[in-house]
Amino acid sequence: MTWIVAAITAALVFGALDAVWLSWAGPNFYRPRLGDILADSFRMMPALVFYAAYIAAIVWFAVRPGLSLGIGAAALNGALLGAICYATYDLTNQATMRTWSTTVTVADIAWGAFATAVAAAAASFAAAKFA
């Protein structure tokens, strides 16, 4: 039950944060900086695969240690996981694409760290309290 509560909480929190971020950032931040390299429309299947894998990673790498070491550890591990994962994507794009905004890279890494830390802390709290 612990892992189910953790996964559901992480999915809800991360999903809500990312929905708010992407709703604003898509048209106001990404489109002006990345323009033509963005897809014309959102592709649901790759997004679902990402979210499923990412929630599992949050639970394994941040919530699991957070349950024994505390919410601070969950948040720290979540921030590190988020920063590393988002850096992997953005820095690879920056290294391989003709045009990629450094501003996008920095913002994405910060966003990944923040959103993942919050989701991991919330999931650790919920799993400890309700499971």
Side-chain angles (χ1 to χ4, degrees):
M1 187 60 132
T2 300
W3 307 117
I4 293 169
V5 170
I8 290 170
T9 304
L12 291 173
V13 172
F14 188 83
L17 289 171
D18 221 31
V20 170
W21 168 250
L22 292 174
S23 293
W24 175 84
N28 299 301
F29 183 72
Y30 293 119
R31 181 82 46 199
R33 287 165 181 82
L34 301 176
D36 292 339
I37 66 172
L38 292 177
D40 292 332
S41 62
F42 180 75
R43 296 183 188 126
M44 183 63 73
M45 189 52 69
L48 291 175
V49 172
F50 163 75
Y51 285 112
Y54 200 64
I55 296 308
I58 291 171
V59 171
W60 183 259
F61 292 110
V63 175
R64 189 175 55 87
L67 289 174
S68 61
L69 300 174
I71 291 174
L76 175 62
N77 287 335
L80 292 171
L81 174 68
I84 291 166
C85 289
Y86 279 67
T88 299
Y89 171 78
D90 282 278
L91 292 172
T92 298
N93 286 341
Q94 202 160 6
T96 61
M97 296 181 131
R98 188 168 306 150
T99 58
W100 188 265
S101 168
T102 300
T103 303
V104 168
T105 296
V106 172
D108 273 356
I109 293 169
W111 173 252
F114 170 77
T116 307
V118 171
S124 289
F125 174 81
K129 187 86 167 167
F130 304 113

